[in-house]
Amino acid sequence: MSPTTNTTFDLTKIIRPNILALKPYRCARDDYSSGVLLDANENAYGPALTTQREGDLNRYPDPYQSQVKERILKLRGLSSTKNLFLGVGSDEVIDLLFRIACVPSKDKILITPPTYGMYSVCAQINDVEVVKSPLNVENGAYQLDMDNLFKTLKANPEIKLVFLCSPGNPTGTCLSHASIRAVLESDYQGLVVVDEAYVDFVDKEEGSVATWVEQYPNLVVMQTLSKSFGLAGIRVGIAIGHPDVIQILNNTKAPYNISTPSALIAAEALSDEGIKTMQDYRKRLIAQRGVLIEKLAHVKGTGRILGGNDSNFVLVEILDKDNKPSNDRAQKVYFMMAETLGVVVRFRGMEYGCNGCLRITVGTEEENVKMLSMLEKALAENN
């Protein structure tokens, strides 16, 4: 099936008028980046450091980080760096999308619980109402309820952004490509934002939709170097979209949002050798995910492993004495493991469709062995 573009989509009706009219700050590096640079009031004698560091740290960084984008473009099979924006983690991308599209106290966003919590946090910060269309959670399916979603969109024409987390957090489940395509090809007039933070851990056919941005001007895909590349500490997030959307994000961001150290580390990770390392770690994590799923099934006091297991974590039910999912027992196990047994997992039982659940990140072989041992101990002492 070939993609059908939403022909009625008009970006100028989505972006706030003040943002469309914005004349972006023009920084010194937009004009010149070589020669004797006496244009940006930098410290000509260099950084006040006791050891030599890579990069011209006394100089403002490249505002658009062209080298990093070229390497992402090659990795993801995109056609132009004009489709790429870099942010200080995906959280900056999320916040900027609110700021360019949503008028405070007027516009709305749609989320599909259970989902990543920062969408709602950013909404509250930006004074934007959150509308919810829960996933179909029956038997841990965690897929879009299409009838409810379209009904909700129709009833709330103020919705400017639809956030679809795929693979989901905490669900660990990819949304079907057919369902994502249906939203993109509907008469919805806002931006559809697909959060692919965990996409590299998908080991089946329906993974990333990043290349779809060339057919769908209403699609923004978010990715990150925090997960599969193991670089949560450098805070580099990625937005992939139509060049017009990307340009608006660039116009709105702080001039030098990605630091030189972060850019240098990102470029190294995105080199051929860095990508091979990432792929090796990915393979090992997926293998360990399979081990965890197998072992957890035999731990007394655990129930189903929910979701599609498309991420670097598993979502497991903790059962009570009647073999029913129990938030009370799950919380006791969670606190005991963290405070007494030295293993920290995440209690997710208060999320919709996750009653009694712990979210367990896939660790190294040694970490997983210890986690399983401490989980059995905590369950035995909280029965």
Side-chain angles (χ1 to χ4, degrees):
M1 177 181 175
S2 60
T4 303
T5 302
N6 184 335
T7 56
T8 62
F9 178 76
D10 183 353
L11 184 64
T12 63
K13 293 181 180 178
I14 305 304
I15 305 302
R16 296 166 61 184
N18 61 307
I19 299 297
L20 288 174
L22 177 67
K23 183 177 180 180
Y25 176 79
R26 188 165 185 82
C27 60
R29 293 301 151 258
D30 282 326
D31 297 321
Y32 303 101
S33 58
S34 61
V36 179
L37 299 174
L38 301 175
D39 58 345
N41 301 332
E42 298 154 330
N43 188 326
Y45 284 99
L49 298 172
T50 57
T51 57
Q52 187 71 26
R53 304 292 175 89
E54 186 180 1
D56 296 324
L57 299 183
N58 61 318
R59 302 295 183 188
Y60 289 108
D62 175 359
Y64 303 111
Q65 299 299 345
S66 302
Q67 182 189 36
V68 176
K69 289 180 180 178
E70 288 286 352
R71 293 185 177 185
I72 294 171
L73 177 139
K74 180 182 176 183
L75 174 66
R76 300 306 187 194
L78 303 169
S79 60
S80 172
T81 56
K82 292 182 179 180
N83 294 117
L84 289 167
F85 171 84
L86 300 183
V88 183
S90 297
D91 293 337
E92 184 187 20
V93 177
I94 295 167
D95 185 61
L96 278 174
L97 288 168
F98 274 91
R99 289 162 61 191
I100 68 172
C102 297
V103 177
S105 298
K106 176 185 175 184
D107 291 326
K108 304 175 183 179
I109 68 158
L110 183 142
I111 64 171
T112 58
T115 193
Y116 182 43
M118 277 303 295
Y119 311 141
S120 294
V121 171
C122 277
Q124 188 166 357
I125 291 169
N126 288 281
D127 195 15
V128 173
E129 183 179 340
V130 176
V131 178
K132 299 178 181 179
S133 176
L135 296 177
N136 173 10
V137 300
E138 187 174 356
N139 296 317
Y142 299 130
Q143 292 294 320
L144 297 180
D145 181 339
M146 302 305 295
D147 290 341
N148 180 269
L149 188 146
F150 286 130
K151 180 179 178 181
T152 304
L153 287 174
K154 186 175 182 180
N156 295 273
E158 306 88 355
I159 292 173
K160 291 286 193 71
L161 304 170
V162 171
F163 285 97
L164 304 178
C165 200
S166 181
N169 177 13
T171 69
T173 303
C174 275
L175 300 176
S176 76
H177 280 192
S179 67
I180 296 172
R181 196 186 300 279
V183 181
L184 289 166
E185 295 179 0
S186 71
D187 57 4
Y188 169 61
Q189 293 301 300
L191 289 172
V192 179
V193 185
V194 179
D195 189 342
E196 293 187 343
Y198 298 94
V199 76
D200 287 323
F201 299 108
V202 179
D203 59 349
K204 58 189 181 187
E205 186 176 345
E206 290 204 344
S208 178
V209 298
T211 57
W212 291 14
V213 299
E214 297 183 13
Q215 286 82 39
Y216 297 108
N218 52 337
L219 171 64
V220 176
V221 176
M222 297 192 302
Q223 296 183 354
T224 180
L225 298 186
S226 295
K227 305 300 180 183
S228 61
F229 282 92
L231 290 172
I234 71 169
R235 310 309 301 132
V236 174
I238 303 158
I240 305 167
H242 188 279
D244 290 346
V245 177
I246 298 302
Q247 185 60 58
I248 291 169
L249 290 172
N250 278 322
N251 291 350
T252 311
K253 76 176 181 70
Y256 307 107
N257 61 331
I258 304 297
S259 72
T260 295
S262 290
L264 289 170
I265 294 170
E268 180 182 344
L270 290 160
S271 67
D272 290 343
E273 187 176 350
I275 290 170
K276 286 180 182 177
T277 301
M278 179 275 283
Q279 290 172 338
D280 175 59
Y281 290 163
R282 170 190 180 271
K283 183 178 179 180
R284 292 164 66 180
L285 284 165
I286 288 174
Q288 282 300 301
R289 181 179 70 197
V291 170
L292 273 188
I293 292 169
E294 180 185 355
K295 297 289 187 183
L296 284 167
H298 300 289
V299 173
K300 185 179 179 181
T302 64
R304 297 173 299 174
I305 306 290
L306 298 182
N309 297 304
D310 298 318
S311 299
N312 68 334
F313 58 84
V314 295
L315 189 69
V316 60
E317 292 177 327
I318 302 299
L319 307 180
D320 62 17
K321 63 182 187 311
D322 297 318
N323 288 323
K324 294 181 180 179
S326 169
N327 274 349
D328 180 62
R329 192 181 188 196
Q331 280 192 302
K332 288 177 180 177
V333 167
Y334 159 67
F335 283 120
M336 183 176 185
M337 289 179 70
E339 297 176 3
T340 306
L341 302 178
V343 177
V344 183
V345 296
R346 198 83 181 264
F347 172 67
R348 297 282 80 179
M350 302 308 292
E351 301 285 337
Y352 176 75
C354 301
N355 185 44
C357 284
L358 297 179
R359 191 192 71 193
I360 303 173
T361 303
V362 179
T364 64
E365 291 86 338
E366 296 79 8
E367 289 173 334
N368 293 335
V369 168
K370 181 174 182 179
M371 183 280 297
L372 287 165
S373 175
M374 296 303 103
L375 175 61
E376 289 181 323
K377 184 173 183 178
L379 284 164
E381 296 193 23
N382 291 278
N383 52 26

